[in-house]
Amino acid sequence: MRSVCVFLGSTPGHNPAFGAAAEALGREIARRGLATVYGGSNTGLMKRLADGALAEGGPVHGVSVGGLKDLEIQHQGLTTLEVVATMHARKARMAELADAFIAFPGGIGTFEEFFEVFTWARLGLHTKPCGVLNIEGYYDPLLELLDHAEREGFVRPIDQALLVRATTPEAMLDGLQERWDGR
Ligand code: AMP
C-alpha cells in the first residue's frame, strides 16, 4: 500500500477532538511512508489532515475542482495540486491515485464520496480497502444504519465485511494494510 485517500469535513466541526485527530491521521500516514490523497482544500478538517502529513514530511496530493473556486480555498503548500473540471472527475482521480480509502468525520460531501468508492468495492470494480474511522463515536449512527440494513436484508454480510471499522488512526491504517496485504 503506497497511498491513502481521506474523505473528511471541509469544516472543522464543533468538537476540537476532530481537528486533532485529523492532524494525527495525517502524521501517521506520513510516518508510515504513505502518500496522502484528499480534496485539496485549505479549510476545516481537510486542512488539518494535510498540514499533519506535511509537518511529518509526507507527500500530499490534492485533487480540487476548478468550478468550485468560490466555495473551495485551495491549499497552496501541497506536494501536488491537481485542478479538475467536475466533481465526478475529482472522485475518479482520487480513486485512481489512492490504494485505500478512509471516511473520516465530515458532512454530506464526505458521505457521498466514501459511499461511491465503497459501492465500487462491493461491486468488485476495485479491491482497494475502505474504512470508517469512527472518531469520538461520530459514525456510530452510520455503522448502526449499516447493521440495520443488513438485518433488513439490504446489505449482505459479505459487503459489511469489506469495511474496516476503527477508532484510532493507527488501528485504521493497520486494518487497511492488512486487507491490502491479503488481497
Ligand atoms: P463535507 O463533508 O460536506 O464538508 O465535504 C467534504 C468532502 O467533500 C471532501 O472530502 C471534499 O473532497 C469534498 N467537497 C465537496 N464540496 C467541497 C467544498 N466546497 N470544499 C471542500 N471540499 C468539498
Side-chain angles (χ1 to χ4, degrees), residues 22-106:
E23 187 181 324
L25 174 62
R27 285 185 179 273
E28 189 58 26
I29 291 172
R31 266 189 223 116
R32 294 181 186 221
L34 304 169
T36 300
V37 177
Y38 86 117
S41 174
N42 197 29
T43 62
L45 298 184
M46 296 176 75
K47 173 180 169 55
R48 297 294 299 273
L49 170 88
D51 288 348
L54 292 167
E56 213 59 51
V60 181
H61 305 294
V63 184
S64 192
V65 179
L68 288 182
K69 256 194 194 113
D70 294 344
L71 292 173
E72 271 186 50
I73 304 161
Q74 293 162 354
H75 198 305
Q76 298 305 323
L78 304 178
T79 314
T80 65
L81 177 67
E82 286 181 43
V83 183
V84 298
T86 66
M87 288 300 284
H88 284 134
R90 172 197 236 174
K91 288 187 289 177
R93 185 64 182 137
M94 289 197 287
E96 199 173 77
L97 286 171
D99 289 337
F101 306 94
I102 296 173
F104 191 88

Side-chain angles (χ1 to χ4, degrees), residues 123-182:
L123 294 172
L125 300 178
H126 68 75
T127 57
K128 298 175 178 183
C130 300
V132 170
L133 184 39
N134 190 14
I135 300 293
E136 299 270 316
Y138 177 73
Y139 277 127
D140 286 350
L142 180 81
L143 297 172
E144 174 48 37
L145 177 63
L146 285 169
D147 293 343
H148 170 69
E150 182 184 327
R151 286 192 299 272
E152 293 291 343
F154 291 110
V155 171
R156 299 176 306 171
I158 195 173
D159 299 329
Q160 283 260 58
L162 285 173
L163 196 66
V164 176
R165 299 179 179 205
T167 56
T168 65
E170 291 79 6
M172 173 52 69
L173 292 169
D174 287 349
L176 295 174
Q177 184 69 56
E178 205 173 289
R179 299 291 175 95
W180 176 264
D181 293 340

